[in-house]
Amino acid sequence: MLKRHLAGVAAALALAASPAFAADKPIVIGVPVGLSGANSVVAPSVVQSAELAVEEINAAGGVLGRQLKLEVADDASGAAGAQKAFDSLIYQKKVDVLISMETSAARNAGLPAVTKGKVPYIYTSFYEGRSCNKNLFVNAWVPEQQVPPIVDAFAKGKGAKTYFLIGSDYAFGRGMLAFTKSYIEKIGGKVVGEEYLPMDGSDWTAIISKLKDAKPDALITSTAGGAPNVTLTKQLRGAGVTLPYANLAVDEGTAKSMGADAEGIYLSASYVTGIDSPENKTFLAAMEKKFGAGLKTPNDLSVPQYEAIYLYKAAVEKAGGTETAKVLEALPTVSFTGPRGSISMSKQHHAPLTMYLGQVQGDGSVKVVSSFKDVDPGEQCPKLN
């Protein structure tokens, strides 16, 4: 009787380990994202893009015969929340991969869990650059790709020589403006003021007073995506600030939520809804069909999320499974042609990207002023090659 029982257990274990059983088990994608906090304005669009990608892939047969499953966790847009969200997804939900945009503070706080838990992590948010980890891949822009189009446009098109910089006081805000300052000085310009407010701050009055006193030719800001963009812009307009203004962190969806306050803002992005390509038109139509009146405007934070899931799919298929070491080896060698064109994280775990210099119009749409094809991300993580 005991022998018969042990034989049954052995058979069950063998079945569980078989390819057929594995094929029934979904591939789980973890999405830690700021559903609350500073990123709560943009996070819903990121989740929508992830949902569409998973739905499309599952409808087409999944990945290696397995369905995809999303696990979304709120990281509260900050470090403490990220530690909890990453731990929950990696150790409790047992995700196969993490794919998401987050604040730099959240990313940095979550990376130790990524390393310890040995999962791939595709970071889909534009950021200040040079975050290097063998498990981390980035398909969004860095300063080397985003800043020069704006500064060059102000210097050459507006005759700007002096600049005032305003940022949120965290890694992204300071990192972006440090690069911006160095680039301004490199082309012969001068920074006449540089001010920061904590991420949860909302009263920009004192900083705006300093801006007015400095009398710069142009203003460039780098605030946390979402709420800080909205409060700063509203207060700038309320104070009558009309000088050339570029925001390094505003996305198209947030610009629309600002209404008339956003009109005239310059931005540099790897995605705008007006990209005229079959892939972008197909994507926008699919988003409209799935979400209807509830659709959040696709933007430079949500579209990379959609594409990253397809890049992960391609890597798993090339690797022949979800084993982390093999997936990490495959990720820099695969590409996906989506709304932004052909994307490959082939340059030191980062992606060459076509960048668009745009200006927000009265209806919240973004008019493309000029485009720059396949902009190199520069030296980001040379030791990972």
Side-chain angles (χ1 to χ4, degrees), residues 139-188:
N139 73 337
W141 57 251
V142 290
E144 287 86 341
Q145 294 166 304
Q146 197 241 8
V147 171
I150 285 176
V151 176
D152 289 348
F154 281 1
K156 297 173 184 177
K158 306 289 185 182
K161 296 180 180 179
T162 59
Y163 299 79
F164 198 96
L165 310 180
I166 300 176
S168 290
D169 192 5
Y170 75 125
F172 176 79
R174 288 191 174 273
M176 289 299 298
L177 293 186
F179 181 89
T180 301
K181 182 178 181 180
S182 66
Y183 188 79
I184 288 170
E185 293 173 344
K186 178 181 176 182
I187 66 168

Side-chain angles (χ1 to χ4, degrees), residues 161-166 181 184-185 189-195 207 210-220 243:
K161 296 180 180 179
T162 59
Y163 299 79
F164 198 96
L165 310 180
I166 300 176
K181 182 178 181 180
I184 288 170
E185 293 173 344
K190 182 180 180 181
V191 173
V192 294
E194 183 176 350
E195 297 290 334
I207 290 177
K210 292 180 181 180
L211 164 68
K212 287 186 165 185
D213 289 342
K215 296 181 172 58
D217 297 324
L219 167 66
I220 298 177
L243 73 166

Side-chain angles (χ1 to χ4, degrees), residues 16-93:
S18 71
F21 181 88
D24 291 336
K25 184 181 177 183
I27 296 173
V28 185
I29 298 173
V31 182
V33 69
L35 296 173
S36 61
N39 278 346
S40 59
V41 176
V42 296
S45 65
V46 173
V47 174
Q48 286 187 345
S49 287
E51 290 173 347
L52 177 64
V54 166
E55 180 180 276
E56 289 177 342
I57 291 169
N58 285 343
V63 181
L64 299 179
R66 297 168 64 184
Q67 294 284 283
L68 298 180
K69 177 185 176 183
L70 284 180
E71 287 286 354
V72 180
D74 181 14
D75 67 17
S77 303
Q83 288 178 331
K84 294 177 182 178
F86 275 66
D87 285 349
S88 171
L89 291 169
I90 293 171
Y91 301 117
Q92 296 175 25
K93 300 297 184 180

Side-chain angles (χ1 to χ4, degrees), residues 172-370:
F172 176 79
R174 288 191 174 273
M176 289 299 298
L177 293 186
F179 181 89
T180 301
K181 182 178 181 180
S182 66
Y183 188 79
I184 288 170
E185 293 173 344
K186 178 181 176 182
I187 66 168
K190 182 180 180 181
V191 173
V192 294
E194 183 176 350
E195 297 290 334
Y196 296 88
L197 198 68
M199 277 182 62
D200 58 355
S202 59
D203 186 357
W204 301 88
T205 306
I207 290 177
I208 292 173
S209 293
K210 292 180 181 180
L211 164 68
K212 287 186 165 185
D213 289 342
K215 296 181 172 58
D217 297 324
L219 167 66
I220 298 177
T221 67
S222 180
T223 42
N229 285 328
V230 177
T231 58
L232 173 57
T233 302
K234 186 176 185 64
Q235 290 170 43
L236 284 167
R237 298 315 191 199
V241 175
T242 59
L243 73 166
Y245 168 28
N247 188 318
L248 302 180
V250 72
D251 65 280
E252 197 168 349
T254 303
K256 283 192 174 181
S257 74
M258 293 180 189
D261 290 332
E263 185 174 1
I265 292 177
Y266 285 86
L267 57 84
S268 178
S270 64
Y271 178 79
V272 292
T273 54
I275 293 175
D276 187 13
S277 70
E279 292 81 8
N280 187 43
K281 290 176 181 176
T282 298
F283 166 75
L284 290 174
M287 291 291 287
E288 179 67 35
K289 181 179 179 181
K290 179 171 176 59
F291 298 104
L295 175 64
K296 307 298 181 183
T297 303
N299 55 70
D300 210 17
L301 289 166
S302 68
V303 170
Q305 180 78 17
Y306 173 84
E307 294 169 340
I309 292 174
Y310 273 97
L311 285 166
Y312 177 69
K313 170 183 180 290
V316 169
E317 289 172 341
K318 186 168 185 177
T322 59
E323 184 183 335
T324 293
K326 292 182 179 179
V327 170
L328 293 177
E329 185 178 347
L331 273 171
T333 70
V334 298
S335 64
F336 172 69
T337 300
R340 295 186 297 166
S342 180
I343 306 296
S344 173
M345 298 176 290
S346 56
K347 184 69 186 290
Q348 300 172 10
H349 289 206
H350 287 69
L353 297 169
T354 295
M355 299 298 296
Y356 300 88
L357 177 65
Q359 188 175 30
V360 180
Q361 305 299 293
D363 62 356
S365 65
V366 176
K367 177 184 177 182
V368 174
V369 177
S370 54

